Amino acid sequence: MSIVSGYKKFKKYILTSSGFQLVSHWTNANTLQFDDGKTAQAKLGAIDGISSSKDSSSDKIAASTKLVSELNSNLGGQFGGMTFWVNDTGDPCVTYKVGADSVSKKLGRSPIVITGIYFSLGHGAVNDGGTIGACGFSKDNHFTFDVTDYEIMTIGTVSISDKNTYDSSYIRCTVGSNSYTLKSGLAIDISSAKSATLYANPSGYGNLGASVQSTVSVSSITFS
């Protein structure tokens, strides 16, 4: 007869003085084989028990599902419910809650602070006091920053000192296709930009041909 595949389960009993008793054949972890060919000793022999204790330091005790669930809950609370993940371009990202909204951000470099940004301006005006003067400026007088790995650009204190009464200079910032007039404490979204450019923009009224002199500065810019 041929040997058929599969298994047939059965129980074996022997007759004793007390009646029929179930037989259990002796075996060993080194002789019990799993479907992958490994023995029970090779797969499970290093485990010396299961515990829910957070104080165990043994590398032979397995953590129970109760302990794992508790640690996951603690971890979520510790990090404010943040979820870490990797986007399609391989960048590490984090998603967290702000009120009822979910906010996702790419994790970049450590925050960097730039200090002492200063412009000194001088420009002329047309001789028709009361109309906007010809206040040209050179965009060569600028600062450009690589913001590829950052999300937010936060402006420190903006200081402007105009020499003449009718002058009004300011600092502009170009991020991608957007342009901003910088104000103290302003936060600009730079998450989709590769660079940010700051330049001083002189502006004033003619004031009967008086030249315009201004100084404009930013105490600090933080990229985060």
Side-chain angles (χ1 to χ4, degrees):
M1 298 178 63
S2 61
I3 298 177
V4 297
S5 60
Y7 304 93
K8 187 175 183 62
K9 297 179 181 180
F10 63 93
K11 292 181 179 180
K12 186 176 181 181
Y13 294 85
I14 59 173
L15 181 60
T16 69
S17 58
S18 301
F20 286 96
Q21 192 168 11
L22 182 64
V23 174
S24 177
H25 290 282
W26 179 90
T27 187
N28 185 278
N30 286 305
T31 61
L32 180 62
Q33 183 174 292
F34 285 76
D35 287 343
D36 60 3
K38 293 182 179 180
T39 65
Q41 181 64 31
K43 293 177 74 73
L44 304 172
I47 300 176
D48 197 24
I50 298 175
S51 173
S52 296
S53 172
K54 289 183 288 187
D55 299 322
S56 175
S57 59
S58 173
D59 58 0
K60 294 184 178 181
I61 302 295
S64 68
T65 56
K66 177 184 177 181
L67 177 59
V68 172
S69 176
E70 183 179 345
L71 292 175
N72 281 337
S73 297
N74 292 343
L75 186 64
Q78 180 178 351
F79 289 99
M82 293 187 294
T83 301
F84 297 92
W85 49 283
V86 177
N87 65 14
D88 294 338
T89 58
D91 301 309
C93 301
V94 61
T95 299
Y96 56 93
K97 286 281 189 179
V98 177
D101 300 323
S102 293
V103 177
S104 295
K105 294 180 67 175
K106 183 174 69 176
L107 296 176
R109 303 171 184 169
S110 298
I112 185 172
V113 180
I114 308 295
T115 60
I117 297 174
Y118 178 88
F119 297 92
S120 180
L121 304 175
H123 54 88
V126 297
N127 296 321
D128 62 346
T131 62
I132 296 294
C135 306
F137 66 94
S138 170
K139 283 191 177 180
D140 290 333
N141 189 11
H142 69 273
F143 297 93
T144 298
F145 304 97
D146 182 352
V147 299
T148 304
D149 295 327
Y150 298 97
E151 302 288 326
I152 301 293
M153 178 172 127
T154 305
I155 308 303
T157 301
V158 177
S159 300
I160 301 172
S161 176
D162 291 306
K163 180 178 180 180
N164 297 311
T165 304
Y166 297 101
D167 304 331
S168 179
S169 300
Y170 50 92
I171 301 178
R172 299 284 290 175
C173 178
T174 301
V175 179
S177 60
N178 299 315
S179 184
Y180 306 86
T181 297
L182 297 193
K183 298 179 180 179
S184 299
L186 177 66
I188 301 173
D189 182 358
I190 55 175
S191 58
S192 58
K194 294 183 178 180
S195 65
T197 300
L198 269 65
Y199 56 89
N201 195 6
S203 176
Y205 288 91
N207 199 19
L208 299 180
S211 61
V212 177
Q213 293 181 351
S214 305
T215 57
V216 289
S217 63
V218 181
S219 64
S220 65
I221 295 179
T222 302
F223 299 98
S224 58

